[in-house]
Amino acid sequence: MPDTRTLRSFFDAIAKRYDFLNSWLSFCLDKKWRRSSVRLALEGDEDRILDLGMGSGKFLKEFMLKKNFSIAVGLDLSKEMLSYAKTSIDPGVYLTQGDFAHIPFGNDSFDLVISSFTLRSVQDLPGFLHSVYDLLRGNGKAVFLCLTRPGNWMMRMLSYPYLKWYVPFMGGVLSGKRDAYRFLSDSVFLFQKPLETAQMMRRIGFKEVGIHSFSWGIATLLVGKKTIRGRYDGL
């Protein structure tokens, strides 16, 4: 796993091409995944939302199309990503630079904490999930959209060359930053299965943890709700 400085340099380097490449490399399925995530996760009474690792802000914008929030915040490690997001995000959204090890918000601050395509880059996943749990108000939700490996053996066979060679090669050609896309590709291979992440969320204290598979398992949505009584520190 690259250190924080390396990760920041990766995303700073590809910020202006990030949306185009995500859509192109996912055959434009990423938009469908985000919309489906909002439909499955949003209940309608949420008031405050935080997007961690917001990138260009597309995931946050999908939620804001369906609901007016009194407070909307986006945090990202990359200054260039935030600058790019600022050109298209609602001016009422508060943008801040920071990393997942030092999230600059207090406990019980948000009704929704969302994050897309970021969990596989988290160095301390249990610690991060604990932090997300603490950030949520009672009955608040964590919503994680992840790139994953298909469970079906045939789809795994098809996805292997796509992730192993196509993504880093074409991402490198189109962005000029092959190392960044090699990391993104490798991180999908190395990331744990969605069921393992869901079990980790349950041990921390999340309830009603749901796993929603998109496009034969190429992407997965994980949703968990905070209990009012508090978490279990069993990890």
Side-chain angles (χ1 to χ4, degrees), residues 189-207:
F189 279 114
L190 296 172
F191 190 51
Q192 64 190 24
K193 295 179 180 179
L195 182 60
E196 295 176 77
T197 306
Q199 291 171 339
M200 188 180 291
M201 291 173 69
R202 293 187 184 103
R203 289 196 296 270
I204 286 170
F206 287 98
K207 64 179 182 178

Side-chain angles (χ1 to χ4, degrees), residues 1-234:
M1 176 71 68
D3 59 24
T4 300
R5 181 178 296 180
T6 303
L7 281 175
R8 183 185 298 115
S9 68
F10 280 163
F11 288 104
D12 277 344
I14 63 175
K16 292 181 179 179
R17 303 283 284 172
Y18 185 74
D19 280 343
F20 167 75
L21 286 166
N22 269 1
S23 294
W24 196 77
L25 292 171
S26 70
F27 307 105
C28 296
L29 289 171
D30 60 318
K31 186 173 184 178
K32 180 181 178 181
W33 298 336
R34 284 190 290 268
R35 287 182 173 176
S36 296
S37 298
V38 174
R39 177 176 52 82
L40 289 164
L42 190 65
E43 294 184 6
D45 57 350
E46 300 90 348
D47 188 50
R48 301 180 178 184
I49 185 169
L50 169 65
D51 188 351
L52 293 172
M54 72 173 295
S56 64
K58 279 194 168 184
F59 201 35
L60 179 57
K61 282 188 281 188
E62 285 293 336
F63 278 87
M64 294 180 70
L65 285 173
K66 296 295 183 181
K67 176 75 172 65
N68 291 321
F69 297 92
S70 67
I71 296 175
V73 181
L75 178 143
D76 201 274
L77 179 66
S78 166
K79 182 179 179 181
E80 293 301 319
M81 278 290 193
L82 289 171
S83 296
Y84 182 64
K86 194 174 182 178
T87 64
S88 61
I89 202 78
D90 187 294
V93 175
Y94 175 71
L95 303 179
T96 185
Q97 185 178 7
D99 64 62
F100 293 163
H102 306 95
I103 301 173
F105 305 106
N107 293 351
D108 306 305
S109 296
F110 298 95
D111 303 298
L112 280 172
V113 176
I114 66 174
S115 194
S116 60
F117 311 131
T118 54
L119 287 193
R120 68 188 191 278
S121 304
V122 176
Q123 295 176 332
D124 176 12
L125 188 55
F128 172 74
L129 293 174
H130 273 299
S131 296
V132 170
Y133 190 94
D134 289 339
L135 286 166
L136 288 167
R137 293 168 155 183
N139 288 320
K141 280 185 178 180
V143 182
F144 304 123
L145 177 59
C146 311
L147 289 176
T148 48
R149 300 180 302 279
N152 178 276
W153 69 270
M154 185 175 294
M155 287 304 300
R156 282 202 305 271
M157 288 182 62
L158 293 172
S159 67
Y160 182 85
Y162 169 78
L163 284 170
K164 187 70 175 178
W165 296 295
Y166 179 79
V167 168
F169 176 75
M170 292 306 300
V173 168
L174 294 171
S175 70
K177 304 294 178 182
R178 187 169 184 175
D179 286 348
Y181 279 88
R182 169 59 64 190
F183 159 71
L184 294 174
S185 173
D186 289 345
S187 66
V188 177
F189 279 114
L190 296 172
F191 190 51
Q192 64 190 24
K193 295 179 180 179
L195 182 60
E196 295 176 77
T197 306
Q199 291 171 339
M200 188 180 291
M201 291 173 69
R202 293 187 184 103
R203 289 196 296 270
I204 286 170
F206 287 98
K207 64 179 182 178
E208 299 177 26
V209 177
I211 304 174
H212 307 275
S213 180
F214 301 146
S215 304
W216 305 283
I218 296 172
T220 302
L221 177 71
L222 292 156
V223 181
K225 184 176 284 190
K226 179 176 182 175
T227 58
I228 297 176
R229 289 179 296 175
R231 74 184 186 196
Y232 167 62
D233 292 305

